[in-house]
Amino acid sequence: GAGVSQSPRYKVAKRGQDVALRCDPISGHVSLFWYQQALGQGPEFLTYFQNEAQLDKSGLPSDRFFAERPEGSVSTLKIQRTQQEDSAVYLCASSPIPQGYEQYFGPGTRLTVT
Amino acid sequence: GNSVTQMEGPVTLSEEAFLTINCTYTATGYPSLFWYVQYPGEGLQLLLKATKADDKGSNKGFEATYRKETTSFHLEKGSVQVSDSAVYFCALSESPEYGNKLVFGAGTILRVKS
């Protein structure tokens, strides 16, 4: 079946622009996670949804980062007034159970801020 | 906080050589442990997992044993192939209260030469 998809795959933004990154989880998956992966590093947790509820946003690095999942399926990660340090790959993962025990990752969106 | 440390790469091996990638962790409580693999141009894939002490996870010829006494989860394979060339990430999952978000190591690049 279809896996987790993310769009766009690549995004170049000028510093100060707003960007929106989309994640389509596997159909029926309850849990959804966003991670940020800097070059040469492992992914770092940003935020977690169980259905439409955002239960943990402790990893969001600043108030410029905002995520939503209004209908409990597709999620959008929005970054306002992008900075160069926001350049990274943004990964989305979904899981079929509430505690997200096994996570299925999308291919990621590579964001470059110039 | 919880953390994962894995050996630095790149690790370069000849085909059919024995592989070990070391991983140690720091955690409160009893996390579950994972190895994820990222092939060139692809997303993260779960390779294997272990949920409690002395459990052995295995898949595709790879193995790792959850060692609570040494807080380790080393990845091993008896005979590597060129197709095993990838980046390998060790990870732990934190409390289910927080959706079992994953904490990753920095990743180890494996290169296998024919």
Side-chain angles (χ1 to χ4, degrees), chain A residues 9 31 33 35 37 40-45 48 55-56 58-59 91 98-107, chain B residues 32 34 36 38 41-46 49-51 89 93 96-107:
Chain A
R9 291 292 310 277
S31 298
F33 301 80
Y35 294 86
Q37 185 176 17
Q41 300 298 316
E44 292 191 356
F45 171 80
Y48 159 62
L55 299 186
D56 185 356
S58 62
L91 299 171
Q99 277 73 42
Y101 181 71
E102 288 192 26
Q103 298 180 25
Y104 298 83
F105 282 81
Chain B
S32 295
F34 305 84
Y36 278 82
Q38 189 170 35
E42 298 184 16
L44 281 167
Q45 300 175 25
L46 177 63
K49 67 180 188 292
T51 59
F89 292 93
S93 69
E97 298 174 23
Y98 299 97
N100 269 329
K101 62 186 178 185
L102 295 170
V103 175
F104 287 88

Side-chain angles (χ1 to χ4, degrees), chain A residues 4 25-26 29 31-33 69 92-96 102-106:
Chain A
V4 178
I26 295 172
H29 277 200
S31 298
L32 187 145
F33 301 80
R69 194 186 185 199
C92 175
S94 70
S95 176
E102 288 192 26
Q103 298 180 25
Y104 298 83
F105 282 81

